[in-house]
Structures are given as C-alpha cells and as structure tokens.
C-alpha cells in the first residue's frame, strides 16, 4: 500500500516540474512514480509495474506525413489494476486526482496547437497539389496541340528528290512551328464553325455603292485614224498575262502615233517554254474588227518592208531604250521620228512600257476597250473553260454578262453532269503563285533547309543569271528581312490559314490555279487537310479534254484565268502577280459589286505570322479579317494605278445610267 510520504513526495516533484516548465511531464511522472511504486510493491508481477518501458504509440501524422504530437498513452498512474484500486489509501487517491487534471490541461493545449498547425499544412498541401495538377493539364494540352498536326517536322519528314517536285523536310524554325500550331487551331475552328453562319460580305465586295459602276469602255467619242505614219511591230515577252498588257499598250501607242499595228508576236521564254502565238490564244478576226474604228490593225507587214534589216536602219527598239511606264510624250519625241523616217518600228519586249498617268482620256479608254472587250479567247479555250466553270458552278439558269464575255456562246450551253453536281453552287478560286520560278526569283527560302537553298540557287543560275550575279557582287537583303517586308510569296500553308481565318467553311469548293506548286504534294497537304473539296483543271478535265493544251503553258494559264474570273470569290497570294491583277480587274469591271477579290497586304500579314509566336486563334482571326477588310474595299482608281487592275474610273466605266 502506497504511503502518504511517497504520494506527497511525488506530488511535490510534479508541482516543481510544472513551475519550472520542464519538457516531458509524463515521462517525469512515470519515472518518479514508478520508483515509489516499486518501493511500495516490490513483488507485484503486474505489467504496469514492470521495469521495462512500455512501447509508445506512433506519432500522429498530419498533411504529408509530418508528426506534430503523440497520442497519449495510458500511464501506470492513470491505469491501475483492480487490486491496487481497491487497496489505495487516501493519500494515493489524492495523487490520482491531482496528476490527471494537470495532464488533461496540458494535453488539451497541445492538441489545439497541433490542430492549428495541421490545418495550415493541409491548406498548403491542397494549393501545391492544385498547382501540380494545373501544370500537368497545361503540358498535356500543349503536347496534344502539337500532335494534332501530322506535318510537324519531327513527327513526319520527307526527302527532296530531283526527279519529281521537291518534297521538303522543314526545319524547326519559330515560323514553321507557329504555322504548325495555327493549322491545328484552324482545324478545330473549322470543325466548330460547321453550324455557324459565314461572315457577312464573304462573297461580296465590301462597299455596296460599287454596284453603281457599269462597264462602258466600248463607248467612244473620237474619230477613226488612217494609220498612215508607218507600222508598229511588237514582240512581247513573258507569259500570257504580260503579253496581254503589252498588246493593249501597243494598241494605244499605235493610236497615239497614227500608225498601223501589226498583230503582235510572242517571244519564246525559257521559263514558260511555250511556242503559242496570238492566233493560238485570241480570236484574230474579232480583235481586228472590234478595234477597226479605233486603230488600223493588219496581220503582216507589207512585202516591201519584210526584207528590211530593222536593226541596221535603227528601227529596232528594246526595253533597255524605253523606260518603264514611259509617258506618251516620250513616244511622240523619240519614236515618232524613227517611224516617219523608216516607216516601221519594232519593239522588243515591251513589258509595262506605257505609264497610266498622265495619259489622254481616249487612250486610257482604248486600253480598257482592248483588254475587256477586244481580246476574246479562241473557241477551243472558251469551250474547255466553260467545262471548268460549269463543273464548279453546276448548270446555272442564266449566264452572267461576265460569263458571256469570257465564254461566248458556250456560256449558254448546258453540259451533262452527275445529279449531285447539277445543283448550282458557289466556289472560291485561289491563285497560288508558288511555282519554282517564283520561289527562286523572290530570293526567299521556305523551310527546306540547305538542299532547298542549293536547288533554288541552281535554278537562278540558269534562268535568272542577273540575280545570281547580283548576289555574288552585292550585299543583298537576307531572306528573313525580305519576308518581314512582305517580299516573299505566301506559301500554301500560309494561304490556307488566311482563308480559314476569313471564315470560309471546310465544305467550301476551292479551285486552285497555277502551274506545278513548288514542294509538290507535301506543300498541298496543308490545304487539303483543311479544305478537302479542292479542284484543279487537271482534276476537273479528263485526259482527252486537257490533252490539246499540254505543253502550252500560256493556253493552260488561259484556262486558269477563266476559272478564276468566273469564281464567286477570288483570293490571290501575291498581289504583284500579273494574272491576279488582270483577274481582279476583269471581275471589278463585269462583277457589279458581287465578285470580291481578296488581296492581302503581305507585309502586314508577315508581321502577324512572324512576330506573334504564341498568338491564339481568335486574335489571329480578328487581325486577318481586319487586314483583308481594308484591302478588299474597292474605291475609284487613284493616280498612276493600273486600269487593268483598277478599271473603276470614268475612263473605263460609267456611274449610274451614264452608259444607258
């Protein structure tokens, strides 16, 4: 039985610890009281009186496994056997009442403190896990967006071959990575836009008042001329579109100098490799008769002049002797004396050798009359062009004024088609000016690495030796600078992103004009991925239908010209292209405000592509639409602008009822 002295002594020692704030009161109580209990019960076999310490419980874990306290273990003072409790003395009962009260107070305070700390760590742990999950999902989304594009360079590569056109392996440049990311975003946007309406004015010109302009270049107010000052010969260079401009400029010069124009000849070009002449593309008799009251035109020089050595007598005039866009006064002062002296002048080249201002009203109108009325394609081209248009449009009830001008009587003739294609439909025409000659001439590079650079340089050495000499003797701007200045042609990848941003739906019919695209199928994959309903003259025509035009690039270009002019919307990728310029002008002249032409500002578009590596689709879409909306607006022709591209002027067209 525990004596009063022992209980008193133990209580005093506990009180001493409490006053001095020692660290482990339970250990102190356990050691102190066990010593006295052993003295009181030396032979007690109970485990509670054993000299070996009882095992402690595990620390209580909070948050991420950090211990902030221990679970209280029953001590030998608080848990007694039935025999000891029945035989305890008053002094032992006092001790058993005193110690637990002190312990309970201390334990309660420690539990509250531990709970507060645990709550803080729980909150920190929750925030950390939330941040980790957000980072995981962000990385997952980024990787998924990269995997969406099958053309990403490290997922799918191709090799360049010398025998068929040039499939590229693209380098991991910031520009290429951005285009890949935007193509994935464009695919998602097109999928979401299936049930949404198309943007307003997508298939119309921006300004409604444009419908007040009507064609009237065929009206004239001047008298015929005799053309008795001599003969003018022209050997036009370039492709069909440069030649068309040269023809109409020659008509104006013949009128200016009161000369007779000989049907122009076309020079053979090492790039185009076409032997076609005027009569292979245009109707000669129609051309001569339509302009007979404006200028005298013949098919050949008189016999007495055919034997003359024109170079020896000084009648041969090259482009180096005539400044680009020379004024009419130059021809009166410099060319007329030669004409009067020798009776003939032969212009070689004659590319863009007549200015647009200042030019007398009658000459300006005559140029428009020649371009929009007098030059009609031969029936072979008209008939095949009608097949292209009708297979894209379907059989429409009434042919438009534009179609009748382009196609003659073939515009009214229906053709047999499959039932699903017989329904009238709209189509978008895109002129991808991305042939090899254009890529080489631009002196830009398009992500094909060193092999591409060597290939384009080799092409320049053969076809553009002056450029090669310039690169070797002069410091020319870098390809990156040319791109930032908008001097590089748009690639098919960039062009299709522009179309998607404008809002053309995935189901839109797209006619692709142009020769063999540099880069071949790998370049076209981006367009086909976003717009699967793609057509070309090669896919629309059968082998027998296209066979008469093979190896005649100018005649094939005439078919593209027809398909682009007759389209419901036309998009160009290079505003400097002569074909795009003539197509835009023809649509403006005959379109009555219903035939929009999309002409991007390449410098501003290059800025959107190159300087915004993390741009999101909505922002890209908004900026492209704003850009095109500004360039799509059609106003009256300003000073020095081409009447072939901008015929909306009083010299070529009439407002309201002036032409009635």
């Amino acid at each position: 039985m525990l004596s009063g002295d022992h209980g008193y002594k133990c209580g005093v020692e506990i009180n001493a610890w409490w006053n001095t704030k020692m660290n482990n009161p339970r250990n102190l109580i356990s050691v102190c009281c066990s010593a006295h209990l052993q003295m009181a019960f030396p032979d007690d076999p109970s485990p509670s009186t054993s000299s070996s310490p009882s095992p402690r419980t595990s620390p209580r874990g909070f948050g991420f496994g950090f211990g902030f306290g221990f679970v209280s273990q029953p001590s030998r003072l608080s848990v007694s056997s039935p025999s000891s409790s029945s035989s305890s003395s008053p002094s032992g009962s006092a001790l058993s009442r005193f110690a637990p009260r002190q312990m309970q107070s201390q334990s309660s305070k420690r539990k509250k403190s531990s709970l507060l700390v645990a709550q803080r760590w729980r909150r920190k742990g929750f925030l950390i896990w939330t941040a980790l999950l957000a980072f995981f999902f962000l990385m997952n989304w980024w990787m998924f967006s990269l995997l969406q594009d099958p053309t990403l360079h490290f997922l799918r590569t191709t090799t360049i071959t010398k025998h068929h056109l040039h499939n590229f392996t693209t380098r991991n440049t910031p520009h290429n990575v951005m285009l890949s990311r935007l193509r994935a975003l464009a695919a998602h946007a097109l999928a979401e836009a299936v049930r949404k309406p198309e943007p307003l004015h997508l298939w119309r010109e921006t300004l409604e008042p444009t419908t007040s302009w009507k064609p009237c270049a065929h009206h004239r107010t001047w008298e015929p001329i005799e053309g008795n000052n001599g003969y003018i010969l022209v050997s036009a260079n370039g492709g069909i579109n440069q030649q068309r401009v040269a023809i109409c400029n020659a008509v104006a010069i013949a009128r200016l100098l009161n000369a007779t124009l000989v049907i122009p000849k076309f020079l053979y070009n090492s790039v185009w490799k076409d032997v076609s002449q005027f009569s292979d593309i245009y109707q000669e008799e129609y051309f001569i008769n339509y302009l007979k009251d404006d200028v005298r035109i013949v098919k050949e020089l008189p016999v007495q002049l055919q034997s003359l050595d024109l170079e020896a007598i000084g009648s041969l005039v090259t482009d180096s002797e005539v400044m680009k866009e020379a004024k009419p006064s130059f021809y009166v002062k410099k060319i007329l004396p030669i004409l009067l002296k020798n009776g003939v002048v032969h212009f070689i080249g004659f590319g863009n050798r007549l200015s647009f201002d200042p030019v007398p009203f009658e000459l300006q109108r005559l140029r428009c009359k020649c371009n929009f009325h007098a030059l009609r394609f031969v029936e072979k081209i008209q008939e095949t062009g009608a097949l292209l248009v009708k297979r894209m449009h379907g059989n429409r009830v009434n042919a438009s004024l534009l179609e009748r001008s382009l196609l003659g009587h073939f515009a009214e003739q229906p053709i047999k088609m499959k039932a699903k294609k017989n329904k009238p439909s709209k189509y978008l025409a895109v002129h991808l000016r991305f042939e090899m000659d254009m890529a080489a001439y631009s002196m830009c590079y398009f992500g094909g690495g060193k092999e591409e650079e060597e290939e384009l340089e080799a092409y320049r050495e053969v076809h553009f030796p002056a450029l090669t000499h310039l690169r070797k003797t002069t410091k020319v701007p870098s390809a990156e600078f040319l791109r930032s200045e908008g001097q590089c042609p748009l690639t098919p990848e960039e062009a299709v992103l522009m179309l998607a941003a404008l809002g053309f739906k995935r189901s839109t019919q797209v006619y692709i004009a142009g020769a063999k695209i540099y880069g071949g199928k790998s370049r076209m994959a981006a367009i086909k991925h976003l717009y699967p309903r793609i057509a070309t003259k090669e896919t629309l025509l059968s082998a027998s239908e296209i066979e008469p035009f093979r190896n005649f690039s100018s005649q094939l270009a005439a078919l593209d010209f027809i398909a682009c002019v007759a389209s419901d919307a036309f998009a160009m990728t290079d505003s400097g292209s002569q074909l795009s310029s003539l197509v835009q002008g023809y649509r403006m002249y005959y379109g009555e405000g219903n035939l929009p032409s999309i002409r991007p500002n390449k410098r501003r578009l290059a800025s959107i592509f190159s300087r915004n590596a993390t741009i999101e689709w909505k922002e890209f879409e908004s900026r492209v639409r704003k850009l095109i909306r500004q360039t799509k607006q059609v106003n009256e022709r300003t000073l020095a602008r081409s009447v072939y591209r901008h015929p909306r002027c009083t010299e070529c067209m009439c407002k309201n009822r002036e032409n009635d």
Side-chain angles (χ1 to χ4, degrees), residues 291-536:
L291 296 174
K292 65 182 180 180
D293 293 330
D294 305 296
V295 62
R296 181 169 177 255
I297 303 174
V298 297
K299 294 182 180 180
E300 298 289 343
L301 272 176
V303 176
Q304 66 271 19
L305 296 178
Q306 291 180 6
S307 59
L308 290 177
D309 185 344
L310 299 183
E311 185 176 8
I313 63 174
S315 286
L316 201 64
V317 180
T318 65
D319 275 357
S320 61
E321 299 173 88
V322 182
M323 69 181 70
K324 190 175 181 180
E325 297 190 357
K327 294 179 181 180
S329 57
F330 169 85
Y331 291 94
V332 174
K333 293 178 181 178
K334 302 293 184 180
I335 304 301
L336 183 57
I338 301 174
L339 185 65
L340 294 173
K341 177 182 177 182
N342 300 327
V344 60
V345 170
H346 187 184
F347 292 103
I348 303 293
F350 207 61
N352 296 319
R353 286 309 187 265
L354 179 61
S355 66
F356 292 102
D357 288 297
V359 173
F361 178 90
E362 66 178 59
L363 293 185
Q364 205 76 290
R365 175 158 287 195
L366 184 56
R367 292 164 101 177
C368 293
K369 183 177 181 179
C370 171
N371 183 53
F372 299 117
H373 295 275
L375 288 175
R376 286 209 169 178
F377 294 119
V378 295
E379 289 196 350
K380 178 181 74 171
I381 294 176
Q382 285 183 334
E383 183 179 16
T384 308
L387 291 178
L388 291 176
V389 174
K390 291 179 184 296
R391 286 171 183 171
M392 292 299 293
H393 268 158
N395 279 318
R396 294 186 172 181
V397 177
N398 296 314
S400 65
L401 176 64
L402 178 143
E403 289 173 335
R404 292 196 298 271
S405 173
L406 272 178
L407 307 173
H409 67 275
F410 295 102
E412 304 288 351
Q413 295 180 1
I415 62 173
K416 291 183 179 180
M417 290 186 296
K418 296 178 181 179
K420 64 178 182 179
K421 287 293 293 181
N422 200 38
K423 184 180 179 181
S425 58
K426 295 185 294 188
Y427 74 93
L428 164 71
V430 181
H431 181 215
L432 281 181
R433 186 65 174 98
F434 200 70
E435 296 88 354
M436 191 171 187
D437 65 302
M438 183 65 177
Y441 188 80
S442 69
M443 295 197 293
C444 300
Y445 296 112
F446 308 95
K450 189 170 182 61
E451 289 180 87
E452 176 195 296
E453 295 180 15
E454 292 174 352
E455 186 176 36
L456 293 179
E457 184 59 37
Y459 188 90
R460 274 191 290 267
E461 289 179 358
V462 175
H463 299 282
F464 307 116
L467 284 181
T468 301
H469 177 73
L470 183 68
R471 287 174 61 86
K472 291 179 179 179
T473 58
T474 310
K475 185 177 180 181
V476 298
S478 66
E480 291 76 12
F481 177 80
L482 292 173
R483 182 174 298 280
S484 67
E485 291 296 306
Q487 299 299 314
C488 297
L490 291 184
T491 65
E493 297 93 329
E494 293 168 332
V496 75
L497 286 173
M498 177 186 73
L499 299 179
L502 290 176
F504 287 102
K505 291 194 172 186
R506 180 176 169 80
S507 59
T508 302
Q509 287 191 105
V510 181
Y511 179 89
I512 301 295
K516 292 181 179 179
I517 300 301
Y518 182 55
K521 293 182 179 179
S522 65
R523 284 288 189 196
M524 294 300 295
I527 294 184
K528 291 182 178 178
H529 177 66
L530 295 181
Y531 292 97
R533 297 182 66 190
I534 283 183
T536 63

Side-chain angles (χ1 to χ4, degrees), residues 69 127 134 137 170 286 300 317 364 372 402 498 539 577 640 656:
L127 293 174
F137 283 115
T170 55
Y286 184 88
E300 298 289 343
V317 180
Q364 205 76 290
F372 299 117
L402 178 143
M498 177 186 73
T539 61
S577 162
N656 299 325

Side-chain angles (χ1 to χ4, degrees), residues 62-66 120-138:
F62 298 99
F64 296 92
F66 297 99
R120 294 193 195 102
W121 278 95
R122 284 193 185 100
R123 284 194 295 267
K124 291 181 180 178
F126 177 78
L127 293 174
I128 292 172
W129 274 109
T130 301
L132 287 173
L133 286 173
F135 178 76
F136 171 80
F137 283 115
L138 183 63

